[in-house]
Amino acid sequence: VTGNSELADDLLGGLDIHAETLARFPFLPDRTKAKNANFSVFFGGKGWTLSNLYGFTSVQAEEFRKDLLDKRYPSVSQWHLMTEKQIIQTGKVRMLTGRERHTDSFTEGFNGQIQGVGSDFNKIMMIKCYHRLRKEGLQSHPIADIHDEIVFDCPPEEVDEAHHLCMEEYRKLNEYFYEYFKYKLKMKYEGEAKIGPNLLEMEKV
């Protein structure tokens, strides 16, 4: 979006940005809290959120935001400003995929672009997996999109093959995203699978 990619470069280079945050701010108790604080700021959280949800003092919150947004990932700060300007001027945000969300809330604008594009990833994969499963003659098929997951209904004898085929399709997400929206994604994406008799009894595979 901004033309810069510090965050993507670090992730592709194997840096654990949450462990890095924990090392920089040892008053955080563990990596999970560091991860939560990182995401909070990326999604537009400011001093109040950090102080009331994660135990930062006001001084620590300001220091943390400056470190994350000014020193480490200024492109995220730039994206925040671009989003805020768009909302002020138009009353909405436009996502990479072309969808628009009307809002007067900056945090809703940030969330909509991140979660909204993630939701569009899922819609693409539902279509592609459906056609791949049909092409291979399987009865397995997607039945629901829940947040960042797709639920498939599979006959027991097809589970292993359906899992293999869908994982193959997920490795082509970047290719499919370009096919639909003409954007080349820098990050690489793969799916993660859970299998079980129902949504309450799922295990990772």
Side-chain angles (χ1 to χ4, degrees):
V1 175
T2 65
N4 300 308
S5 57
E6 306 100 342
L7 178 57
D9 291 340
D10 275 355
L11 293 171
L12 287 168
L15 178 68
D16 183 335
I17 65 170
H18 308 310
E20 176 71 13
T21 290
L22 184 62
R24 287 170 177 255
F25 296 92
F27 62 81
L28 290 166
D30 52 44
R31 183 183 177 279
T32 297
K33 283 293 186 181
K35 176 181 177 181
N36 292 341
N38 281 339
F39 278 128
S40 174
V41 173
F42 288 152
F43 277 83
K46 297 186 178 179
W48 186 95
T49 304
L50 293 172
S51 297
N52 286 272
L53 297 184
Y54 304 115
F56 286 67
T57 66
S58 58
V59 172
Q60 289 170 338
E62 182 63 20
E63 181 184 357
F64 180 80
R65 281 179 49 79
K66 285 184 176 180
D67 179 78
L68 191 61
L69 296 179
D70 295 344
K71 295 179 182 179
R72 296 164 65 186
Y73 303 116
S75 59
V76 174
S77 182
Q78 184 183 359
W79 168 66
H80 283 170
L81 293 173
M82 291 168 62
T83 300
E84 291 171 3
K85 182 178 179 180
Q86 188 178 161
I87 291 172
I88 291 170
Q89 291 180 341
T90 68
K92 61 187 178 183
V93 290
R94 183 177 177 84
M95 301 167 199
L96 281 177
T97 54
R99 288 196 297 119
E100 295 181 338
R101 177 174 182 173
H102 291 265
T103 182
D104 59 2
S105 165
F106 294 157
T107 53
E108 281 187 3
F110 305 142
N111 181 76
Q113 291 182 84
I114 298 172
Q115 301 280 24
V117 173
S119 177
D120 290 335
F121 283 1
N122 264 12
K123 303 304 187 293
I124 293 171
M125 296 317 302
M126 287 185 78
I127 295 168
K128 294 298 185 179
C129 288
Y130 171 82
H131 286 299
R132 180 69 188 280
L133 293 168
R134 282 291 177 268
K135 179 181 178 181
E136 302 296 335
L138 275 65
Q139 295 301 308
S140 301
H141 58 280
I143 59 173
D145 170 21
I146 304 176
H147 188 48
D148 58 356
E149 298 183 344
I150 301 173
V151 181
F152 291 84
D153 187 31
C154 305
E157 67 274 13
E158 292 185 3
V159 168
D160 289 342
E161 186 176 2
H163 171 223
H164 173 73
L165 292 173
C166 289
M167 289 299 99
E168 280 191 349
E169 290 302 295
Y170 263 90
R171 295 186 189 102
K172 301 176 185 176
L173 173 59
N174 293 51
E175 172 188 332
Y176 293 150
F177 197 81
Y178 183 80
E179 174 189 335
Y180 277 79
F181 305 114
K182 306 307 179 190
Y183 281 102
K184 292 183 179 180
L185 299 175
K186 188 178 183 71
M187 292 299 299
K188 306 299 180 184
Y189 300 91
E190 291 192 14
E192 179 182 86
K194 299 176 184 177
I195 296 176
N198 56 63
L199 289 178
L200 296 177
E201 300 176 83
M202 306 289 281
E203 294 185 2
K204 288 184 180 180
V205 294

